[in-house]
Amino acid sequence: MHCPFCRHSDSRVVDSRTSDDGATIRRRRQCPNCSRRFSTSETASLSVLKRSGVSEPFSRAKVISGVRKACQGRPVSDDQLAMLAQRVEETIRTSGLAEIDAHEVGLTILQPLQELDVVAYLRFASVYQSFDSLEDFEAAIERLRAEGPRGAAVAAEPTS
């Protein structure tokens, strides 16, 4: 780390603290050349590789935006969408990969969305998994019925 004051090529870490729910590390550094102190902020980068080959930083806002369309008219709050996006990011980060395919992000969204609202799940899955016929919907619904009511119970609750 270069010193921002004298441009010396080395610095010593004096103090480290986590911030932003543990996703960022704030380091207090001191330059051995000029003895001045400065702060740095470090985050583990997570990139998404798009179909076009372009790589961009992972964004919870994009997850929320994509899922919000599937949740239109459903009893799903913004807080629930934020929690879903956080859960998706945590799942991806635990994989240990610094770059993940956009398709894998979509697959990671499916399970928490199914638990949140089965109708929104079916909407999202129908687009994401390219349902082509009624048989695709019927197969997905049958699979949901076979798994039991865990997501359906949440979706059936009345809004307050």
Side-chain angles (χ1 to χ4, degrees), residues 20-38:
D20 293 337
D21 68 5
T24 305
I25 298 175
R26 183 180 176 272
R27 298 198 192 277
R28 192 75 180 135
R29 297 178 176 269
Q30 183 172 9
C31 176
N33 189 45
C34 69
S35 298
R36 292 183 75 180
R37 291 184 176 202
F38 58 98

Side-chain angles (χ1 to χ4, degrees), residues 17 20 27 32 34 42 62 64 74 77 81 84 133 136:
R17 295 178 187 202
D20 293 337
R27 298 198 192 277
C34 69
E42 300 175 16
K62 280 195 165 190
I64 291 169
R74 301 297 304 155
S77 71
L81 290 178
L84 180 137
S133 66
D136 293 337

Side-chain angles (χ1 to χ4, degrees), residues 76-96:
V76 177
S77 71
D78 288 343
D79 288 343
Q80 288 173 309
L81 290 178
M83 291 299 293
L84 180 137
Q86 179 180 344
R87 186 171 161 196
V88 168
E89 182 177 4
E90 288 170 356
T91 301
I92 292 169
R93 285 193 185 277
T94 58
S95 73

Side-chain angles (χ1 to χ4, degrees), residues 112-159:
L113 183 57
Q114 178 183 341
E115 293 168 11
L116 181 62
D117 186 284
V118 291
V119 173
Y121 164 81
L122 280 172
R123 290 175 177 171
F124 188 85
S126 71
V127 173
Y128 198 76
Q129 295 177 334
S130 302
F131 287 11
D132 291 325
S133 66
L134 287 175
E135 289 77 24
D136 293 337
F137 278 98
E138 289 171 346
I141 291 168
E142 284 304 313
R143 188 181 51 75
L144 287 171
R145 284 187 177 134
E147 289 178 7
R150 80 169 176 239
V154 174
E157 291 177 3
T159 58

Side-chain angles (χ1 to χ4, degrees), residues 4-60:
F5 305 107
C6 71
R7 302 299 299 157
H8 186 69
S9 63
D10 196 17
S11 64
R12 183 173 63 93
V13 175
V14 179
D15 184 39
S16 292
R17 295 178 187 202
T18 60
S19 59
D20 293 337
D21 68 5
T24 305
I25 298 175
R26 183 180 176 272
R27 298 198 192 277
R28 192 75 180 135
R29 297 178 176 269
Q30 183 172 9
C31 176
N33 189 45
C34 69
S35 298
R36 292 183 75 180
R37 291 184 176 202
F38 58 98
S39 295
T40 59
S41 180
E42 300 175 16
T43 59
S45 65
L46 179 59
S47 298
V48 177
L49 184 62
K50 309 285 271 182
R51 275 186 285 207
S52 64
V54 175
S55 184
E56 63 181 43
F58 177 85
S59 167
R60 284 187 190 179

